[in-house]
Amino acid sequence: MKILKRGHEGPAQKAPILSWPFVLKKKERVNFMHIPDGFLDAKTVITTAAISAYAIKNDVEKARRNLGDRDIPVLGVMAAFIFAAQMVNFPVMAGTSGHLLGAALATILLGPYSAGLIMATVLIVQSLFFQDGGLLALGANIFNMAVVAPLAAYYIYVTIKRYIRFSGADTLATFTASWFSVVVAAVFTSLELALSGTVPFKIVILPMAMVHAAIGIGEGLITTVAVAYIGRVLNLKAGFGIKNSVEPAIDVDGGGRVN
Amino acid sequence: MKKWGVILLTAVLVALILSPFASTHPDGLERVAENLAFAEKGSSPVAWFSPMPDYVVRGISDGKISTAMAGVIGTFITFIVVFGVMKALSPGRR
């Protein structure tokens, strides 16, 4: 959860936190969308951070090999778009909200490695500048949203495109990949919470999966529209990035080509 | 205008116009944490470097304007960081 909770129930959520002139008021409530600090234990923090560091290194190597200078602004604007979109929470069920994750969007347009880089950067900016997601939990958040989510989106997209062929296959693959990317990230979040002893897995998994199944529908709808719009503006088709990452660019002659 | 400029402009407009009207309800993880009573375990990250905690710009008391400004600033920061890092990493071909 990111946006300041104006008028949310209870006395603890009184806005504003800050008022003119620079008076810092004590904030009683922790806001989170991404895992905050305090939810994960040391072993989970260290393990996820190590995997995430390796994944980012791998992403960087792939990007260095496959990206030309003209691809760099495309990566930048995709990250900027995902950052902005993540701020827009939409209601999902009674008293609950969700927002775009964006991992599937970036994966379908740019491939899973570029998507990983973009998502990791968004998460780092969010935790450093905006205290959204814990600093210790950053490795876990990168693992869930910049490693697991793009890979889930990638494999589901590719599988659907391989076995289902009709005129709406692109849309079906995009929607399904988006939905799964959110739900799978939520499942891994539940696993990490359980491994940390914060809450037992069999208690947390169902509510986490259910609320994110609902959020995933929003993810699917927004991603489908955004893939079409951004894909057209930047001259990338749905699955363009994925095709490029399946067949690593031998002929790296630009033209908006991203890995 | 460069094509990617259109997307950057779209991102800025989303942050500026839509983010102040985002739902203020708890999101998925927060809802579950509240329902299962482990929300209180969460703590804000150490504030050693956090100019805009919770998407609020210091000194702007109007919540909506503050969120919009934080959104626009964050959108540009994200663009600049990705652009800068990738430029620094790129071998400089083409």
Side-chain angles (χ1 to χ4, degrees), chain A residues 12-34:
Chain A
Q13 299 88 44
K14 255 209 233 137
I17 296 164
L18 292 155
S19 62
W20 191 260
F22 310 106
V23 181
L24 183 64
K25 289 192 183 152
K26 178 90 178 71
K27 187 164 170 288
E28 298 89 348
R29 183 190 174 89
V30 179
N31 268 353
F32 46 85
M33 154 59 198
H34 311 330

PDB file of all heavy atoms in Angstrom, chain A residues 12-34:
ATOM      1  N   ALA A  12      -6.050   6.254  13.990  1.00  0.00           N
ATOM      2  CA  ALA A  12      -4.611   6.174  13.775  1.00  0.00           C
ATOM      3  C   ALA A  12      -4.192   6.697  12.410  1.00  0.00           C
ATOM      4  O   ALA A  12      -3.041   6.976  12.182  1.00  0.00           O
ATOM      5  CB  ALA A  12      -4.146   4.733  13.943  1.00  0.00           C
ATOM      6  N   GLN A  13      -5.161   6.842  11.486  1.00  0.00           N
ATOM      7  CA  GLN A  13      -4.768   7.144  10.120  1.00  0.00           C
ATOM      8  C   GLN A  13      -4.998   8.605   9.757  1.00  0.00           C
ATOM      9  O   GLN A  13      -5.328   8.945   8.643  1.00  0.00           O
ATOM     10  CB  GLN A  13      -5.551   6.270   9.136  1.00  0.00           C
ATOM     11  CG  GLN A  13      -5.305   4.800   9.321  1.00  0.00           C
ATOM     12  CD  GLN A  13      -6.244   4.201  10.311  1.00  0.00           C
ATOM     13  OE1 GLN A  13      -7.429   4.480  10.274  1.00  0.00           O
ATOM     14  NE2 GLN A  13      -5.732   3.392  11.214  1.00  0.00           N
ATOM     15  N   LYS A  14      -4.863   9.468  10.728  1.00  0.00           N
ATOM     16  CA  LYS A  14      -5.189  10.860  10.433  1.00  0.00           C
ATOM     17  C   LYS A  14      -4.155  11.521   9.537  1.00  0.00           C
ATOM     18  O   LYS A  14      -2.981  11.538   9.826  1.00  0.00           O
ATOM     19  CB  LYS A  14      -5.288  11.630  11.735  1.00  0.00           C
ATOM     20  CG  LYS A  14      -6.734  11.910  12.102  1.00  0.00           C
ATOM     21  CD  LYS A  14      -6.819  13.181  12.894  1.00  0.00           C
ATOM     22  CE  LYS A  14      -7.556  12.920  14.183  1.00  0.00           C
ATOM     23  NZ  LYS A  14      -7.003  13.516  15.332  1.00  0.00           N
ATOM     24  N   ALA A  15      -4.603  12.047   8.431  1.00  0.00           N
ATOM     25  CA  ALA A  15      -3.736  12.849   7.572  1.00  0.00           C
ATOM     26  C   ALA A  15      -3.821  14.292   8.066  1.00  0.00           C
ATOM     27  O   ALA A  15      -4.802  14.639   8.723  1.00  0.00           O
ATOM     28  CB  ALA A  15      -4.198  12.730   6.135  1.00  0.00           C
ATOM     29  N   PRO A  16      -2.915  15.177   7.814  1.00  0.00           N
ATOM     30  CA  PRO A  16      -1.669  14.878   7.122  1.00  0.00           C
ATOM     31  C   PRO A  16      -0.565  14.494   8.085  1.00  0.00           C
ATOM     32  O   PRO A  16      -0.611  14.842   9.255  1.00  0.00           O
ATOM     33  CB  PRO A  16      -1.341  16.214   6.469  1.00  0.00           C
ATOM     34  CG  PRO A  16      -1.863  17.217   7.448  1.00  0.00           C
ATOM     35  CD  PRO A  16      -3.075  16.589   8.084  1.00  0.00           C
ATOM     36  N   ILE A  17       0.400  13.770   7.516  1.00  0.00           N
ATOM     37  CA  ILE A  17       1.578  13.427   8.298  1.00  0.00           C
ATOM     38  C   ILE A  17       2.411  14.676   8.488  1.00  0.00           C
ATOM     39  O   ILE A  17       2.975  14.935   9.528  1.00  0.00           O
ATOM     40  CB  ILE A  17       2.394  12.373   7.554  1.00  0.00           C
ATOM     41  CG1 ILE A  17       1.586  11.097   7.434  1.00  0.00           C
ATOM     42  CG2 ILE A  17       3.703  12.102   8.271  1.00  0.00           C
ATOM     43  CD1 ILE A  17       2.136  10.165   6.414  1.00  0.00           C
ATOM     44  N   LEU A  18       2.475  15.431   7.424  1.00  0.00           N
ATOM     45  CA  LEU A  18       3.293  16.640   7.455  1.00  0.00           C
ATOM     46  C   LEU A  18       2.395  17.831   7.181  1.00  0.00           C
ATOM     47  O   LEU A  18       1.517  17.758   6.360  1.00  0.00           O
ATOM     48  CB  LEU A  18       4.347  16.566   6.359  1.00  0.00           C
ATOM     49  CG  LEU A  18       5.417  15.514   6.579  1.00  0.00           C
ATOM     50  CD1 LEU A  18       6.004  15.108   5.249  1.00  0.00           C
ATOM     51  CD2 LEU A  18       6.498  16.052   7.476  1.00  0.00           C
ATOM     52  N   SER A  19       2.618  18.891   7.880  1.00  0.00           N
ATOM     53  CA  SER A  19       1.847  20.066   7.518  1.00  0.00           C
ATOM     54  C   SER A  19       2.764  21.276   7.545  1.00  0.00           C
ATOM     55  O   SER A  19       3.858  21.237   8.090  1.00  0.00           O
ATOM     56  CB  SER A  19       0.683  20.240   8.491  1.00  0.00           C
ATOM     57  OG  SER A  19       1.192  20.436   9.786  1.00  0.00           O
ATOM     58  N   TRP A  20       2.346  22.282   6.944  1.00  0.00           N
ATOM     59  CA  TRP A  20       3.111  23.516   6.854  1.00  0.00           C
ATOM     60  C   TRP A  20       3.312  24.102   8.235  1.00  0.00           C
ATOM     61  O   TRP A  20       2.384  24.064   9.007  1.00  0.00           O
ATOM     62  CB  TRP A  20       2.363  24.486   5.947  1.00  0.00           C
ATOM     63  CG  TRP A  20       3.192  25.652   5.587  1.00  0.00           C
ATOM     64  CD1 TRP A  20       3.137  26.895   6.144  1.00  0.00           C
ATOM     65  CD2 TRP A  20       4.201  25.703   4.603  1.00  0.00           C
ATOM     66  NE1 TRP A  20       4.040  27.703   5.566  1.00  0.00           N
ATOM     67  CE2 TRP A  20       4.726  27.010   4.626  1.00  0.00           C
ATOM     68  CE3 TRP A  20       4.742  24.760   3.716  1.00  0.00           C
ATOM     69  CZ2 TRP A  20       5.751  27.406   3.779  1.00  0.00           C
ATOM     70  CZ3 TRP A  20       5.740  25.160   2.889  1.00  0.00           C
ATOM     71  CH2 TRP A  20       6.237  26.476   2.927  1.00  0.00           C
ATOM     72  N   PRO A  21       4.414  24.666   8.653  1.00  0.00           N
ATOM     73  CA  PRO A  21       5.674  24.609   7.916  1.00  0.00           C
ATOM     74  C   PRO A  21       6.566  23.499   8.449  1.00  0.00           C
ATOM     75  O   PRO A  21       7.117  23.629   9.533  1.00  0.00           O
ATOM     76  CB  PRO A  21       6.274  25.979   8.200  1.00  0.00           C
ATOM     77  CG  PRO A  21       5.742  26.342   9.557  1.00  0.00           C
ATOM     78  CD  PRO A  21       4.511  25.529   9.816  1.00  0.00           C
ATOM     79  N   PHE A  22       6.680  22.462   7.725  1.00  0.00           N
ATOM     80  CA  PHE A  22       7.618  21.362   7.993  1.00  0.00           C
ATOM     81  C   PHE A  22       7.444  20.747   9.376  1.00  0.00           C
ATOM     82  O   PHE A  22       8.395  20.385  10.027  1.00  0.00           O
ATOM     83  CB  PHE A  22       9.064  21.834   7.837  1.00  0.00           C
ATOM     84  CG  PHE A  22       9.298  22.544   6.555  1.00  0.00           C
ATOM     85  CD1 PHE A  22       9.453  23.917   6.520  1.00  0.00           C
ATOM     86  CD2 PHE A  22       9.315  21.832   5.372  1.00  0.00           C
ATOM     87  CE1 PHE A  22       9.649  24.566   5.313  1.00  0.00           C
ATOM     88  CE2 PHE A  22       9.509  22.474   4.162  1.00  0.00           C
ATOM     89  CZ  PHE A  22       9.679  23.850   4.140  1.00  0.00           C
ATOM     90  N   VAL A  23       6.228  20.683   9.837  1.00  0.00           N
ATOM     91  CA  VAL A  23       6.008  20.043  11.131  1.00  0.00           C
ATOM     92  C   VAL A  23       5.835  18.548  10.889  1.00  0.00           C
ATOM     93  O   VAL A  23       4.947  18.124  10.170  1.00  0.00           O
ATOM     94  CB  VAL A  23       4.751  20.603  11.829  1.00  0.00           C
ATOM     95  CG1 VAL A  23       4.567  19.924  13.175  1.00  0.00           C
ATOM     96  CG2 VAL A  23       4.867  22.091  11.987  1.00  0.00           C
ATOM     97  N   LEU A  24       6.697  17.777  11.465  1.00  0.00           N
ATOM     98  CA  LEU A  24       6.603  16.337  11.285  1.00  0.00           C
ATOM     99  C   LEU A  24       5.687  15.768  12.354  1.00  0.00           C
ATOM    100  O   LEU A  24       5.950  15.854  13.545  1.00  0.00           O
ATOM    101  CB  LEU A  24       7.986  15.708  11.383  1.00  0.00           C
ATOM    102  CG  LEU A  24       8.045  14.206  11.152  1.00  0.00           C
ATOM    103  CD1 LEU A  24       7.637  13.858   9.736  1.00  0.00           C
ATOM    104  CD2 LEU A  24       9.417  13.683  11.460  1.00  0.00           C
ATOM    105  N   LYS A  25       4.598  15.194  11.904  1.00  0.00           N
ATOM    106  CA  LYS A  25       3.713  14.553  12.864  1.00  0.00           C
ATOM    107  C   LYS A  25       4.003  13.069  12.913  1.00  0.00           C
ATOM    108  O   LYS A  25       4.278  12.456  11.906  1.00  0.00           O
ATOM    109  CB  LYS A  25       2.254  14.778  12.452  1.00  0.00           C
ATOM    110  CG  LYS A  25       1.827  16.212  12.662  1.00  0.00           C
ATOM    111  CD  LYS A  25       0.340  16.353  12.527  1.00  0.00           C
ATOM    112  CE  LYS A  25      -0.061  17.809  12.668  1.00  0.00           C
ATOM    113  NZ  LYS A  25      -1.289  18.109  11.945  1.00  0.00           N
ATOM    114  N   LYS A  26       3.886  12.512  14.065  1.00  0.00           N
ATOM    115  CA  LYS A  26       4.149  11.097  14.229  1.00  0.00           C
ATOM    116  C   LYS A  26       3.136  10.292  13.430  1.00  0.00           C
ATOM    117  O   LYS A  26       1.929  10.517  13.510  1.00  0.00           O
ATOM    118  CB  LYS A  26       4.037  10.745  15.713  1.00  0.00           C
ATOM    119  CG  LYS A  26       4.252   9.280  16.007  1.00  0.00           C
ATOM    120  CD  LYS A  26       5.717   8.978  16.287  1.00  0.00           C
ATOM    121  CE  LYS A  26       5.893   7.511  16.621  1.00  0.00           C
ATOM    122  NZ  LYS A  26       5.715   6.628  15.467  1.00  0.00           N
ATOM    123  N   LYS A  27       3.649   9.362  12.684  1.00  0.00           N
ATOM    124  CA  LYS A  27       2.766   8.516  11.907  1.00  0.00           C
ATOM    125  C   LYS A  27       2.592   7.199  12.648  1.00  0.00           C
ATOM    126  O   LYS A  27       3.538   6.499  12.947  1.00  0.00           O
ATOM    127  CB  LYS A  27       3.393   8.267  10.542  1.00  0.00           C
ATOM    128  CG  LYS A  27       2.503   7.550   9.607  1.00  0.00           C
ATOM    129  CD  LYS A  27       3.049   7.717   8.205  1.00  0.00           C
ATOM    130  CE  LYS A  27       2.315   6.819   7.261  1.00  0.00           C
ATOM    131  NZ  LYS A  27       2.659   5.438   7.442  1.00  0.00           N
ATOM    132  N   GLU A  28       1.370   6.883  12.968  1.00  0.00           N
ATOM    133  CA  GLU A  28       1.133   5.728  13.835  1.00  0.00           C
ATOM    134  C   GLU A  28       1.017   4.443  13.044  1.00  0.00           C
ATOM    135  O   GLU A  28       1.051   3.353  13.586  1.00  0.00           O
ATOM    136  CB  GLU A  28      -0.159   5.922  14.625  1.00  0.00           C
ATOM    137  CG  GLU A  28      -0.144   7.114  15.566  1.00  0.00           C
ATOM    138  CD  GLU A  28      -0.624   8.375  14.873  1.00  0.00           C
ATOM    139  OE1 GLU A  28      -0.743   8.378  13.625  1.00  0.00           O
ATOM    140  OE2 GLU A  28      -0.877   9.372  15.578  1.00  0.00           O
ATOM    141  N   ARG A  29       0.842   4.561  11.758  1.00  0.00           N
ATOM    142  CA  ARG A  29       0.488   3.392  10.988  1.00  0.00           C
ATOM    143  C   ARG A  29       1.543   3.110   9.926  1.00  0.00           C
ATOM    144  O   ARG A  29       2.102   4.010   9.339  1.00  0.00           O
ATOM    145  CB  ARG A  29      -0.842   3.704  10.311  1.00  0.00           C
ATOM    146  CG  ARG A  29      -1.417   2.610   9.527  1.00  0.00           C
ATOM    147  CD  ARG A  29      -2.582   3.183   8.730  1.00  0.00           C
ATOM    148  NE  ARG A  29      -3.076   2.176   7.838  1.00  0.00           N
ATOM    149  CZ  ARG A  29      -4.025   1.311   8.172  1.00  0.00           C
ATOM    150  NH1 ARG A  29      -4.560   1.371   9.354  1.00  0.00           N
ATOM    151  NH2 ARG A  29      -4.415   0.419   7.320  1.00  0.00           N
ATOM    152  N   VAL A  30       1.817   1.851   9.749  1.00  0.00           N
ATOM    153  CA  VAL A  30       2.771   1.477   8.716  1.00  0.00           C
ATOM    154  C   VAL A  30       2.016   1.234   7.421  1.00  0.00           C
ATOM    155  O   VAL A  30       1.027   0.533   7.396  1.00  0.00           O
ATOM    156  CB  VAL A  30       3.512   0.193   9.117  1.00  0.00           C
ATOM    157  CG1 VAL A  30       4.494  -0.212   8.039  1.00  0.00           C
ATOM    158  CG2 VAL A  30       4.206   0.389  10.441  1.00  0.00           C
ATOM    159  N   ASN A  31       2.496   1.829   6.359  1.00  0.00           N
ATOM    160  CA  ASN A  31       1.886   1.607   5.050  1.00  0.00           C
ATOM    161  C   ASN A  31       2.697   0.587   4.297  1.00  0.00           C
ATOM    162  O   ASN A  31       3.894   0.706   4.214  1.00  0.00           O
ATOM    163  CB  ASN A  31       1.965   2.894   4.232  1.00  0.00           C
ATOM    164  CG  ASN A  31       0.736   3.721   4.410  1.00  0.00           C
ATOM    165  OD1 ASN A  31      -0.215   3.283   5.041  1.00  0.00           O
ATOM    166  ND2 ASN A  31       0.753   4.897   3.865  1.00  0.00           N
ATOM    167  N   PHE A  32       2.066  -0.381   3.721  1.00  0.00           N
ATOM    168  CA  PHE A  32       2.858  -1.228   2.843  1.00  0.00           C
ATOM    169  C   PHE A  32       2.047  -1.842   1.727  1.00  0.00           C
ATOM    170  O   PHE A  32       0.903  -2.179   1.867  1.00  0.00           O
ATOM    171  CB  PHE A  32       3.570  -2.330   3.610  1.00  0.00           C
ATOM    172  CG  PHE A  32       2.696  -3.050   4.601  1.00  0.00           C
ATOM    173  CD1 PHE A  32       1.912  -4.096   4.207  1.00  0.00           C
ATOM    174  CD2 PHE A  32       2.690  -2.656   5.916  1.00  0.00           C
ATOM    175  CE1 PHE A  32       1.114  -4.757   5.133  1.00  0.00           C
ATOM    176  CE2 PHE A  32       1.894  -3.309   6.838  1.00  0.00           C
ATOM    177  CZ  PHE A  32       1.104  -4.362   6.447  1.00  0.00           C
ATOM    178  N   MET A  33       2.709  -1.971   0.639  1.00  0.00           N
ATOM    179  CA  MET A  33       2.237  -2.837  -0.435  1.00  0.00           C
ATOM    180  C   MET A  33       3.271  -3.927  -0.523  1.00  0.00           C
ATOM    181  O   MET A  33       3.034  -5.089  -0.347  1.00  0.00           O
ATOM    182  CB  MET A  33       2.199  -2.070  -1.747  1.00  0.00           C
ATOM    183  CG  MET A  33       2.343  -2.952  -2.980  1.00  0.00           C
ATOM    184  SD  MET A  33       1.061  -4.173  -3.038  1.00  0.00           S
ATOM    185  CE  MET A  33       1.748  -5.349  -4.189  1.00  0.00           C
ATOM    186  N   HIS A  34       4.499  -3.467  -0.713  1.00  0.00           N
ATOM    187  CA  HIS A  34       5.608  -4.400  -0.758  1.00  0.00           C
ATOM    188  C   HIS A  34       5.888  -4.810   0.686  1.00  0.00           C
ATOM    189  O   HIS A  34       5.521  -4.104   1.619  1.00  0.00           O
ATOM    190  CB  HIS A  34       6.783  -3.706  -1.410  1.00  0.00           C
ATOM    191  CG  HIS A  34       6.420  -3.021  -2.691  1.00  0.00           C
ATOM    192  ND1 HIS A  34       5.414  -3.467  -3.516  1.00  0.00           N
ATOM    193  CD2 HIS A  34       6.892  -1.902  -3.280  1.00  0.00           C
ATOM    194  CE1 HIS A  34       5.308  -2.676  -4.563  1.00  0.00           C
ATOM    195  NE2 HIS A  34       6.180  -1.706  -4.434  1.00  0.00           N
TER     196      HIS A  34
END
